[in-house]
Amino acid sequence: MALVGLEELRAAQRRIAGVAVRTPLLPCPWAADGSRALWLKPENLQPTGAFKIRGAYNRLAALTDGERARGVVAQSSGNHAQAVAYAAGLLGLKAVIVMPDTSPAVKVANTRAFGAEVILVPPAERDTTPVELVDKHGYVWVPPFDDPYILAGQGTVGLEIGEDAPDELDTVLVPCSGGGLLGGTAAALKLTCPGVRVIGVEPELAADAQESFRTGRRTAWPITDTFRTIADGLRTTSLGELPFDHVQAYVDDMVTVTEQEIRDTVALLARRGRLVAEPSGAVAAAAYFHHADELDGRVFAAVVSGGNLDPSLLAELLAT
């Protein structure tokens, strides 16, 4: 597949303007230690609570009239689900969302509140059920990451970082699941700020992308392995084909963080940064707080990719 270029990224930026929030790049003086500094990109401030609205709206807004009339179907553990439901509501489209029955209740409730029909299935059926629905009803499938419009939309995160970053910025940390956010952000940064290093971050319990990056072969992990992590938005079993091409072309390294490091960082961001980050949204910052010495950077930016978590989980993590 052809890589997404700067023209597609700029087109996505124009298309989502006024729908996705242009989130600020926040300085974190409380996280500096004299030898390094941190900036946060708070995508938890999006109207759906996560970066996914960028790609979802970019994809749906580009549909033809005939495709819009058919309605759309998507699968997701929550953030892509909410984004497609929200974007479909803005555009007046029917949306059916297939979600694992292990999805956080808050994400299921929000998806329904945005007007979508939600179908809960066992995790192993999340990726097969949409295919059946497309065949049965003729819906347009909106994949979570393996699509050039989705990847370009997520890549607008990188365009904004490049536009807002201090001249000293040298390292950007980005969460990785299916690779749409990482691949798109890396492409945008390398095409506009080629000296900046881009590092993907995964839970060590769902490190299929790191393995793929290191071996040069797109590798899938069993769903029983990836569903062990608390970071429910990062449980995808493999990189998409198009994101993998972008990761190979533009990403400098892939690192992992532990479950305890993720938990600690959710609490730290809430207490010190006044930001509510779900576990998936905290992994990039966790790499800074727990592994900065290994990353060889001085001025970091970390993408806080989402903030949709059950209040009871946030209370639990703050209490420990």
Side-chain angles (χ1 to χ4, degrees):
M1 297 184 187
L3 298 181
V4 166
L6 192 55
E7 181 178 347
E8 290 89 351
L9 290 160
R10 295 291 189 202
Q13 191 173 41
R14 292 189 295 271
R15 197 175 284 119
I16 69 173
V19 175
V21 173
R22 194 188 191 289
T23 54
L25 196 61
L26 301 176
C28 301
W30 53 271
D33 65 1
S35 61
R36 61 181 65 92
L38 175 67
W39 296 69
L40 293 175
K41 179 71 167 168
E43 287 294 292
N44 57 314
L45 301 181
Q46 291 294 346
T48 59
F51 74 96
K52 289 283 192 176
I53 185 59
R54 296 173 180 269
Y57 191 83
N58 192 47
R59 174 65 274 180
L60 267 59
L63 294 175
T64 66
D65 289 343
E67 289 170 330
R68 293 186 185 199
R70 290 159 53 190
V72 298
V73 64
Q75 78 269 35
S76 167
S77 64
N79 286 334
H80 181 61
Q82 292 170 88
V84 172
Y86 182 79
L90 292 178
L91 295 166
L93 311 182
K94 174 181 175 60
V96 178
I97 310 297
V98 178
M99 302 182 71
D101 54 17
T102 55
S103 299
V106 65
K107 295 184 178 182
V108 176
N110 287 346
T111 302
R112 286 180 170 141
F114 289 136
E117 177 187 346
V118 173
I119 300 175
L120 296 175
V121 300
E125 298 176 16
R126 181 185 70 171
D127 295 332
T128 57
T129 302
V131 177
E132 298 169 2
L133 294 173
V134 168
D135 290 341
K136 183 176 181 179
H137 300 287
Y139 299 136
V140 176
W141 178 48
V142 183
F145 44 79
D146 211 349
D147 177 279
Y149 286 92
I150 297 288
L151 191 141
Q154 320 304 28
T156 59
V157 170
L159 291 180
E160 292 175 10
I161 292 174
E163 291 164 358
D164 296 346
D167 292 340
E168 300 81 7
L169 180 72
D170 56 37
T171 306
V172 177
L173 304 170
V174 186
C176 182
S177 182
L181 176 62
L182 176 59
T185 298
L189 285 165
K190 293 296 185 178
L191 293 171
T192 60
C193 307
V196 173
R197 297 167 65 239
V198 180
I199 299 175
V201 187
E202 284 185 301
E204 65 176 14
L205 295 184
D208 56 279
Q210 185 192 56
E211 182 176 338
S212 300
F213 177 82
R214 298 270 169 87
T215 63
R217 299 187 305 274
R218 195 165 67 96
T219 303
W221 279 28
I223 200 167
T224 51
D225 287 353
T226 63
F227 267 67
R228 296 174 298 167
T229 180
I230 191 175
D232 62 276
L234 306 182
R235 290 171 176 166
T236 300
T237 58
S238 71
L239 288 168
E241 292 183 19
L242 183 62
F244 178 57
D245 291 342
H246 286 74
V247 167
Q248 285 192 303
Y250 296 122
V251 172
D252 295 286
D253 199 3
M254 292 285 304
V255 300
T256 63
V257 290
T258 69
E259 296 298 291
Q260 191 58 54
E261 289 166 352
I262 296 170
R263 289 171 172 268
D264 291 346
T265 303
V266 171
L268 180 63
L269 290 174
R271 293 192 184 104
R272 299 298 306 277
R274 281 72 178 179
L275 289 173
V276 174
E278 63 188 278
S280 303
V283 296
Y288 173 85
F289 289 116
H290 296 278
H291 299 279
D293 288 340
E294 308 158 29
L295 301 178
D296 193 31
R298 295 182 303 105
V299 180
F300 291 80
V303 178
V304 179
S305 56
N308 293 312
L309 77 168
D310 284 320
S312 60
L313 177 58
L314 178 59
E316 174 192 331
L317 297 179
L318 285 172
T320 57

